Amino acid sequence: MRAIGGLWRWRHNPLRRTTDLAEAWVALTALLLILLVAPVLGSVVGALAQDTLQQAVREQRHSRHQVTATVVRELKGSVLDADPEAAGRESRTRVLADWTAPDGTPRHGTVLAGLKAPHRGDHFPLWTDTHGRLAARPLDAATATTHAVLAGFGAALLTAGLVESVRRLVVRRMVRRRYAHWDQAWDRAGPDWGRTGTGS
């Protein structure tokens, strides 16, 4: 990280310019923000995400129910898996099935069953809402915690990247101003530098 490289300008040196010291202050400020603010902000975002996601887990557990469905017949043709959590773990087959909703209402429809070779009368678990409509499996607490940790890390990295970007912009403007001052000094010196001004 270039912020650490800017700290050399703190050394006392007769050739040190005011802008060198200013760059050192900018580098130190950026370093402190990255080391102190970014982790704190990441922790806060992670904690807030954890609270929100765990609340969602509780609500989904309350509003979604696992029922047992019965295969009426297998349907041909493939569809996308409606449950991304189950993707890759088990084969899903499109079937026509019957099930009873948690409120006692009989239901009938096309669903994805976790059966490799479904036959009429086979039973399989199915997630529904209180009225028996199909629903995704509720989020589990471990997955919610993983998402919250990733959100916290993401916030910390985003903060560090933002601080470093601002530091670079500030230093770039300082360098441009320095070059502009040098150009003005050279313009003032004009042709009098070197041999031209010696009178030879």
Side-chain angles (χ1 to χ4, degrees), residues 29-44:
T29 303
L31 182 63
L32 291 176
L33 287 174
I34 289 171
L35 292 178
L36 301 175
V37 174
V40 170
L41 189 62
S43 298
V44 169

PDB file of all heavy atoms in Angstrom, residues 29-44:
ATOM      1  N   THR A  29      -3.052   9.774   7.696  1.00  0.00           N
ATOM      2  CA  THR A  29      -4.504   9.791   7.903  1.00  0.00           C
ATOM      3  C   THR A  29      -5.156   8.600   7.208  1.00  0.00           C
ATOM      4  O   THR A  29      -6.012   7.921   7.782  1.00  0.00           O
ATOM      5  CB  THR A  29      -5.098  11.113   7.376  1.00  0.00           C
ATOM      6  OG1 THR A  29      -4.453  12.203   8.024  1.00  0.00           O
ATOM      7  CG2 THR A  29      -6.583  11.173   7.614  1.00  0.00           C
ATOM      8  N   ALA A  30      -4.740   8.345   5.960  1.00  0.00           N
ATOM      9  CA  ALA A  30      -5.306   7.216   5.218  1.00  0.00           C
ATOM     10  C   ALA A  30      -4.987   5.894   5.912  1.00  0.00           C
ATOM     11  O   ALA A  30      -5.852   5.022   6.036  1.00  0.00           O
ATOM     12  CB  ALA A  30      -4.770   7.211   3.788  1.00  0.00           C
ATOM     13  N   LEU A  31      -3.754   5.755   6.397  1.00  0.00           N
ATOM     14  CA  LEU A  31      -3.364   4.524   7.075  1.00  0.00           C
ATOM     15  C   LEU A  31      -4.192   4.295   8.342  1.00  0.00           C
ATOM     16  O   LEU A  31      -4.687   3.200   8.593  1.00  0.00           O
ATOM     17  CB  LEU A  31      -1.874   4.565   7.415  1.00  0.00           C
ATOM     18  CG  LEU A  31      -1.302   3.322   8.092  1.00  0.00           C
ATOM     19  CD1 LEU A  31      -1.408   2.125   7.168  1.00  0.00           C
ATOM     20  CD2 LEU A  31       0.145   3.559   8.498  1.00  0.00           C
ATOM     21  N   LEU A  32      -4.376   5.358   9.129  1.00  0.00           N
ATOM     22  CA  LEU A  32      -5.177   5.224  10.352  1.00  0.00           C
ATOM     23  C   LEU A  32      -6.631   4.901  10.037  1.00  0.00           C
ATOM     24  O   LEU A  32      -7.256   4.082  10.729  1.00  0.00           O
ATOM     25  CB  LEU A  32      -5.077   6.508  11.182  1.00  0.00           C
ATOM     26  CG  LEU A  32      -3.715   6.771  11.824  1.00  0.00           C
ATOM     27  CD1 LEU A  32      -3.703   8.125  12.532  1.00  0.00           C
ATOM     28  CD2 LEU A  32      -3.353   5.653  12.793  1.00  0.00           C
ATOM     29  N   LEU A  33      -7.177   5.536   8.998  1.00  0.00           N
ATOM     30  CA  LEU A  33      -8.563   5.238   8.621  1.00  0.00           C
ATOM     31  C   LEU A  33      -8.711   3.785   8.175  1.00  0.00           C
ATOM     32  O   LEU A  33      -9.676   3.110   8.529  1.00  0.00           O
ATOM     33  CB  LEU A  33      -9.023   6.175   7.507  1.00  0.00           C
ATOM     34  CG  LEU A  33      -9.296   7.616   7.908  1.00  0.00           C
ATOM     35  CD1 LEU A  33      -9.589   8.462   6.676  1.00  0.00           C
ATOM     36  CD2 LEU A  33     -10.461   7.696   8.890  1.00  0.00           C
ATOM     37  N   ILE A  34      -7.730   3.304   7.408  1.00  0.00           N
ATOM     38  CA  ILE A  34      -7.804   1.917   6.933  1.00  0.00           C
ATOM     39  C   ILE A  34      -7.650   0.934   8.087  1.00  0.00           C
ATOM     40  O   ILE A  34      -8.350  -0.072   8.156  1.00  0.00           O
ATOM     41  CB  ILE A  34      -6.748   1.669   5.837  1.00  0.00           C
ATOM     42  CG1 ILE A  34      -7.154   2.407   4.555  1.00  0.00           C
ATOM     43  CG2 ILE A  34      -6.567   0.186   5.562  1.00  0.00           C
ATOM     44  CD1 ILE A  34      -6.101   2.409   3.475  1.00  0.00           C
ATOM     45  N   LEU A  35      -6.753   1.240   9.025  1.00  0.00           N
ATOM     46  CA  LEU A  35      -6.505   0.306  10.132  1.00  0.00           C
ATOM     47  C   LEU A  35      -7.555   0.371  11.227  1.00  0.00           C
ATOM     48  O   LEU A  35      -7.797  -0.624  11.920  1.00  0.00           O
ATOM     49  CB  LEU A  35      -5.117   0.568  10.736  1.00  0.00           C
ATOM     50  CG  LEU A  35      -3.921   0.240   9.843  1.00  0.00           C
ATOM     51  CD1 LEU A  35      -2.624   0.597  10.549  1.00  0.00           C
ATOM     52  CD2 LEU A  35      -3.937  -1.229   9.443  1.00  0.00           C
ATOM     53  N   LEU A  36      -8.175   1.539  11.423  1.00  0.00           N
ATOM     54  CA  LEU A  36      -9.116   1.693  12.531  1.00  0.00           C
ATOM     55  C   LEU A  36     -10.574   1.754  12.091  1.00  0.00           C
ATOM     56  O   LEU A  36     -11.427   1.055  12.648  1.00  0.00           O
ATOM     57  CB  LEU A  36      -8.768   2.957  13.333  1.00  0.00           C
ATOM     58  CG  LEU A  36      -7.365   2.988  13.942  1.00  0.00           C
ATOM     59  CD1 LEU A  36      -7.105   4.328  14.610  1.00  0.00           C
ATOM     60  CD2 LEU A  36      -7.179   1.848  14.931  1.00  0.00           C
ATOM     61  N   VAL A  37     -10.877   2.577  11.096  1.00  0.00           N
ATOM     62  CA  VAL A  37     -12.277   2.793  10.717  1.00  0.00           C
ATOM     63  C   VAL A  37     -12.826   1.625   9.894  1.00  0.00           C
ATOM     64  O   VAL A  37     -13.952   1.187  10.122  1.00  0.00           O
ATOM     65  CB  VAL A  37     -12.428   4.131   9.957  1.00  0.00           C
ATOM     66  CG1 VAL A  37     -13.837   4.310   9.440  1.00  0.00           C
ATOM     67  CG2 VAL A  37     -12.046   5.294  10.867  1.00  0.00           C
ATOM     68  N   ALA A  38     -12.041   1.132   8.933  1.00  0.00           N
ATOM     69  CA  ALA A  38     -12.529   0.054   8.068  1.00  0.00           C
ATOM     70  C   ALA A  38     -12.944  -1.193   8.865  1.00  0.00           C
ATOM     71  O   ALA A  38     -14.037  -1.720   8.647  1.00  0.00           O
ATOM     72  CB  ALA A  38     -11.489  -0.289   7.008  1.00  0.00           C
ATOM     73  N   PRO A  39     -12.126  -1.683   9.826  1.00  0.00           N
ATOM     74  CA  PRO A  39     -12.572  -2.856  10.592  1.00  0.00           C
ATOM     75  C   PRO A  39     -13.804  -2.581  11.452  1.00  0.00           C
ATOM     76  O   PRO A  39     -14.681  -3.440  11.570  1.00  0.00           O
ATOM     77  CB  PRO A  39     -11.363  -3.201  11.472  1.00  0.00           C
ATOM     78  CG  PRO A  39     -10.194  -2.583  10.804  1.00  0.00           C
ATOM     79  CD  PRO A  39     -10.720  -1.355  10.128  1.00  0.00           C
ATOM     80  N   VAL A  40     -13.870  -1.372  12.034  1.00  0.00           N
ATOM     81  CA  VAL A  40     -15.036  -1.047  12.858  1.00  0.00           C
ATOM     82  C   VAL A  40     -16.295  -1.004  12.003  1.00  0.00           C
ATOM     83  O   VAL A  40     -17.335  -1.555  12.367  1.00  0.00           O
ATOM     84  CB  VAL A  40     -14.816   0.296  13.602  1.00  0.00           C
ATOM     85  CG1 VAL A  40     -16.095   0.774  14.251  1.00  0.00           C
ATOM     86  CG2 VAL A  40     -13.719   0.141  14.641  1.00  0.00           C
ATOM     87  N   LEU A  41     -16.193  -0.342  10.843  1.00  0.00           N
ATOM     88  CA  LEU A  41     -17.341  -0.268   9.946  1.00  0.00           C
ATOM     89  C   LEU A  41     -17.744  -1.656   9.455  1.00  0.00           C
ATOM     90  O   LEU A  41     -18.932  -1.980   9.378  1.00  0.00           O
ATOM     91  CB  LEU A  41     -17.024   0.649   8.763  1.00  0.00           C
ATOM     92  CG  LEU A  41     -18.195   0.999   7.863  1.00  0.00           C
ATOM     93  CD1 LEU A  41     -19.251   1.766   8.637  1.00  0.00           C
ATOM     94  CD2 LEU A  41     -17.726   1.810   6.681  1.00  0.00           C
ATOM     95  N   GLY A  42     -16.748  -2.493   9.143  1.00  0.00           N
ATOM     96  CA  GLY A  42     -17.050  -3.867   8.743  1.00  0.00           C
ATOM     97  C   GLY A  42     -17.760  -4.642   9.846  1.00  0.00           C
ATOM     98  O   GLY A  42     -18.698  -5.396   9.578  1.00  0.00           O
ATOM     99  N   SER A  43     -17.328  -4.452  11.086  1.00  0.00           N
ATOM    100  CA  SER A  43     -17.983  -5.132  12.211  1.00  0.00           C
ATOM    101  C   SER A  43     -19.421  -4.664  12.391  1.00  0.00           C
ATOM    102  O   SER A  43     -20.318  -5.473  12.636  1.00  0.00           O
ATOM    103  CB  SER A  43     -17.207  -4.879  13.502  1.00  0.00           C
ATOM    104  OG  SER A  43     -15.913  -5.403  13.408  1.00  0.00           O
ATOM    105  N   VAL A  44     -19.631  -3.353  12.258  1.00  0.00           N
ATOM    106  CA  VAL A  44     -20.989  -2.810  12.419  1.00  0.00           C
ATOM    107  C   VAL A  44     -21.907  -3.340  11.321  1.00  0.00           C
ATOM    108  O   VAL A  44     -23.026  -3.789  11.595  1.00  0.00           O
ATOM    109  CB  VAL A  44     -20.953  -1.265  12.419  1.00  0.00           C
ATOM    110  CG1 VAL A  44     -22.344  -0.678  12.303  1.00  0.00           C
ATOM    111  CG2 VAL A  44     -20.267  -0.756  13.676  1.00  0.00           C
TER     112      VAL A  44
END
